C-alpha cells in the first residue's frame, strides 16, 4: 500500500511549489489495496464510516508543507521538484498517520435559546452523558482545557456577553476530514441536534420568543483535536444553513423565565435528560428528537409534516404489528394509551393521529404540494403530541434507571 500511494504521489501536481493538489492524486489503486471485509477495512470503517481511505489521504496531504511557499510559481508536477524517495517517505508518513486513528475531538457549539441562569445551579457546567456536556462561556474562558474553543468562538463578541451564553461540548473519537463530511463530524452534529430537539420537547426553548440575536446571527462550531495535553488542530465552521434561521428564532421559554428563580424545574429536566441519555436505549430517543427538531426547520411544510410522523414511528413503531393493524392505527392507539389522561382524551388523540396519517398519506402518495389551514393546525397538534411522547419516554427511562 505504501508503494502504491508513493506512485500516486510521484504522479501528482504541486501548487505554489509547496503543497500537493489533492485533486491531482489518483488513488483508485490505493483503495483497491484494502480488501472489503478485511481487518483493516473494518478498522477504517469504524473511524471513517462509509468514506474511502482516500478521503483521509487527500485531507491530510493538504496540510503537509513540502517546501517553502512560492506563490508566483506555476503548478508543477511532483516529479519535477522531488525524488521518488521523497514520495516514498511522504507515503510512509501518511500510512503511519492512518495507523494512529482514532483521534480525539471536542466540538463546541452555542446552544440556542438558553438564558444566562440555565447553569447557575450547577456551577456553569453539567455532564449530560459520557461524551456531552453543557458549559457556560465563562467556564470555557476560565479553564485551560477549553480556552482554545473559547478563542475560536469569541471573535468580536464582548467577553461579558460571551460569558453569559451556554455551549454544548461533544467528545468524539474518530476522524474529521476537511470537507466536514466524515462520520465523526456528522455524529457530533447529530448529537447536538438531538439535544436541541429534546430541549424543544420539554419547552426549555421554543420558537415563539425572540432569542438574543433576534433573527440574525451565525452559529459557529469549534473543532479541537487533542493528543495528551497538546492541541494538535483546531478550526471553526458554520452551522448548517438549514438550521440557522430557526436557531436564531429559538427563545428561552416564558414558562421558565417566570419560574426558574422560584423552582428547580430546569435542573430537574436536565437531570432527567442526563439519565435518559445514559440509558441503553438512548439512541432511539436521540434519533426521534433529531427528527422532531427537523419538523421545525426549513420552509417546506410537507417535508416537515412527514418528519414529525417519522419521529412518532421511531418512538412507537413496530414493523411486525404495523403490517397486521396498519401503521396509522398502531401509532394512534399507542400514542393515546401512552399519554392520554382519560377515555375522552385518548379518543381525541386517536382521532387527531389518524387525521395526521391521512394527511401524511396525501403528501407521500398523492404528492400534495400545499397544506390547507386545517392541515396546518393538525401539523401543530402532531408536534404537540410528539413532544408529549418524547417527554414520556424520557421520564420512563429515568424511572427505569437504577
Amino acid at each position: 500500500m505504501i508503494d502504491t500511494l508513493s506512485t500516486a504521489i510521484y504522479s501528482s501536481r504541486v501548487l505554489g511549489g509547496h503543497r500537493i493538489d489533492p485533486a491531482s492524486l489518483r488513488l483508485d489503486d490505493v483503495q483497491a489495496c484494502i480488501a472489503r471485509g478485511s481487518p483493516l477495512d473494518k478498522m477504517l470503517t469504524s473511524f471513517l464510516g462509509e468514506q474511502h481511505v482516500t478521503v483521509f489521504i487527500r485531507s491530510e496531504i493538504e496540510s503537509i508543507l513540502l517546501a517553502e511557499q512560492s506563490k508566483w510559481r506555476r503548478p508543477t508536477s511532483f516529479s519535477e521538484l522531488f525524488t521518488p524517495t521523497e514520495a516514498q517517505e511522504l507515503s510512509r508518513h501518511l500510512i503511519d498517520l492512518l495507523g494512529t486513528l482514532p483521534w480525539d475531538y471536542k466540538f463546541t457549539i452555542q446552544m440556542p435559546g438558553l438564558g444566562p441562569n440555565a447553569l447557575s445551579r450547577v456551577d456553569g457546567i453539567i455532564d449530560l452523558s459520557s461524551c456531552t456536556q453543557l458549559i457556560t462561556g465563562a467556564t470555557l474562558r476560565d479553564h485551560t482545557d477549553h480556552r482554545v474553543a473559547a478563542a475560536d468562538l469569541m471573535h468580536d463578541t464582548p467577553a461579558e456577553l460571551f460569558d453569559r451564553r451556554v455551549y454544548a461540548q461533544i467528545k468524539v473519537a474518530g476522524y474529521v476530514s476537511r470537507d466536514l463530511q466524515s462520520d465523526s463530524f456528522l455524529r457530533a452534529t447529530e448529537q447536538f441536534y438531538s439535544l436541541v430537539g429534546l430541549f424543544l420537547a420539554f419547552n426549555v426553548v421554543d420558537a415563539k420568543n425572540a432569542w438574543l440575536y433576534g433573527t440574525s446571527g451565525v452559529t459557529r462550531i469549534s473543532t479541537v483535536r487533542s493528543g495528551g495535553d497538546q492541541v494538535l488542530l483546531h478550526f471553526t465552521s458554520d452551522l448548517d444553513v438549514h438550521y440557522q434561521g430557526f436557531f436564531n428564532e429559538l427563545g428561552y421559554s416564558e414558562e421558565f423565565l417566570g419560574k426558574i428563580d422560584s423552582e428547580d424545574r430546569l435542573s430537574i429536566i436536565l437531570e432527567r435528560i442526563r439519565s435518559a441519555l445514559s440509558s441503553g436505549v438512548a439512541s432511539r430517543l436521540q434519533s426521534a428528537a433529531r427528527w422532531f427538531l427537523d419538523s421545525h426547520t426549513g420552509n417546506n411544510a410537507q417535508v416537515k409534516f412527514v418528519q414529525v410522523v417519522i419521529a412518532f414511528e421511531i418512538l412507537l413503531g413496530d414493523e411486525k404489528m404495523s403490517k397486521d393493524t396498519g401503521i396509522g392505527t398502531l401509532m394512534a392507539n399507542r400514542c393515546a394509551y401512552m399519554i392520554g389522561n382519560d377515555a375522552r382524551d385518548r379518543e381525541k388523540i386517536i382521532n387527531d393521529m389518524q387525521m395526521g396519517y391521512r394527511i401524511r398519506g396525501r403528501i407521500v402518495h398523492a404528492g400534495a404540494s400545499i397544506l390547507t389551514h386545517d392541515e396546518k393546525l393538525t401539523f401543530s397538534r402532531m408536534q404537540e403530541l410528539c413532544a408529549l411522547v418524547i417527554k414520556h419516554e424520557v421520564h420512563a427511562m429515568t424511572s427505569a434507571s437504577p
Side-chain angles (χ1 to χ4, degrees):
M1 186 171 175
I2 292 175
D3 290 339
T4 303
L5 177 56
S6 174
T7 300
I9 291 173
Y10 194 66
S11 302
S12 67
R13 183 176 59 206
V14 176
L15 303 177
H18 73 297
R19 291 189 193 278
I20 290 177
D21 177 7
S24 70
L25 285 168
R26 300 291 177 261
L27 297 175
D28 291 347
D29 290 342
V30 174
Q31 181 65 26
C33 290
I34 304 174
R36 179 67 67 181
S38 66
L40 178 58
D41 177 57
K42 293 177 181 178
M43 183 270 288
L44 291 175
T45 299
S46 66
F47 306 142
L48 304 178
E50 295 300 317
Q51 289 189 310
H52 284 184
V53 65
T54 55
V55 172
F56 173 89
I57 292 171
R58 291 184 199 279
S59 184
E60 290 307 305
I61 210 165
E62 212 175 336
S63 64
I64 296 176
L65 187 66
L66 301 174
E68 185 176 347
Q69 181 177 2
S70 176
K71 62 182 179 180
W72 303 114
R73 190 160 192 166
R74 64 177 179 81
T76 310
S77 65
F78 186 97
S79 59
E80 288 184 41
L81 300 175
F82 304 100
T83 66
T85 300
E86 289 172 306
Q88 185 87 3
E89 291 173 352
L90 182 54
S91 172
R92 188 178 300 279
H93 170 69
L94 288 165
I95 300 303
D96 287 345
L97 274 182
L98 190 64
T100 64
L101 293 174
W103 294 343
D104 294 324
Y105 296 89
K106 191 177 289 183
F107 303 87
T108 308
I109 315 171
Q110 185 180 351
M111 284 298 299
L114 282 184
N117 294 327
L119 300 183
S120 60
R121 291 182 172 86
V122 287
D123 297 325
I125 188 168
I126 182 172
D127 293 318
L128 294 178
S129 71
S130 59
C131 62
T132 304
Q133 63 181 194
L134 297 181
I135 186 169
T136 63
T139 307
L140 279 172
R141 290 207 307 126
D142 288 345
H143 287 66
T144 303
D145 291 346
H146 307 301
R147 284 178 185 165
V148 170
D152 282 345
L153 297 171
M154 281 188 71
H155 295 287
D156 298 328
T157 305
E160 181 180 357
L161 179 57
F162 180 85
D163 289 352
R164 289 163 60 85
R165 293 175 178 170
V166 175
Y167 294 81
Q169 201 160 69
I170 299 166
K171 300 175 185 176
V172 173
Y175 177 69
V176 175
S177 55
R178 289 178 178 270
D179 63 1
L180 301 182
Q181 293 302 307
S182 56
D183 184 63
S184 300
F185 187 83
L186 297 178
R187 276 190 289 126
T189 53
E190 284 284 316
Q191 290 180 41
F192 173 67
Y193 296 140
S194 295
L195 187 58
V196 178
L198 287 172
F199 282 6
L200 269 175
F202 275 92
N203 292 325
V204 175
V205 293
D206 69 79
K208 299 174 183 177
N209 306 292
W211 181 41
L212 187 63
Y213 284 152
T215 56
S216 63
V218 175
T219 300
R220 300 190 65 101
I221 305 172
S222 167
T223 301
V224 177
R225 177 191 160 205
S226 59
D229 297 329
Q230 185 179 7
V231 171
L232 301 176
L233 172 147
H234 67 99
F235 61 87
T236 58
S237 53
D238 293 344
L239 185 75
D240 189 325
V241 294
H242 179 74
Y243 296 94
Q244 187 64 68
F246 177 69
F247 276 36
N248 288 342
E249 294 172 357
L250 282 178
Y252 193 49
S253 173
E254 288 181 357
E255 181 179 9
F256 286 112
L257 281 173
K259 297 182 178 180
I260 190 171
D261 292 331
S262 60
E263 298 181 13
D264 287 335
R265 293 192 60 195
L266 182 55
S267 296
I268 292 171
I269 287 172
L270 290 177
E271 178 58 28
R272 283 177 174 164
I273 290 175
R274 186 198 66 77
S275 296
L277 294 180
S278 301
S279 73
V281 290
S283 59
R284 179 176 61 85
L285 175 66
Q286 289 178 292
S287 180
R290 165 64 192 274
W291 283 99
F292 178 65
L293 168 65
D294 283 349
S295 77
H296 289 78
T297 62
N299 298 315
N300 191 312
Q302 294 77 24
V303 170
K304 293 197 289 186
F305 202 111
V306 172
Q307 287 168 329
V308 75
V309 172
I310 291 173
F312 272 115
E313 294 181 1
I314 293 170
L315 292 164
L316 304 174
D318 185 312
E319 185 176 358
K320 182 179 183 301
M321 288 187 66
S322 66
K323 290 179 181 178
D324 298 332
T325 63
I327 185 67
T329 301
L330 176 67
M331 294 295 104
N333 281 279
R334 285 192 167 182
C335 182
Y337 283 90
M338 175 179 285
I339 63 175
N341 296 316
D342 51 39
R344 179 177 294 182
D345 193 24
R346 287 192 288 273
E347 182 180 0
K348 179 170 175 30
I349 291 171
I350 288 173
N351 290 336
D352 291 341
M353 286 287 291
Q354 288 178 335
M355 175 61 73
Y357 264 85
R358 284 195 291 273
I359 297 169
R360 176 257 187 200
R362 199 169 74 85
I363 294 170
V364 173
H365 301 300
S369 58
I370 298 176
L371 296 185
T372 67
H373 175 72
D374 287 343
E375 288 171 341
K376 291 177 181 177
L377 292 178
T378 300
F379 170 61
S380 296
R381 174 63 170 162
M382 295 286 280
Q383 286 185 315
E384 175 190 342
L385 293 174
C386 189
L388 291 173
V389 173
I390 289 174
K391 286 192 280 189
H392 178 278
E393 289 294 271
V394 169
H395 293 161
M397 291 179 184
T398 303
S399 302
S401 61

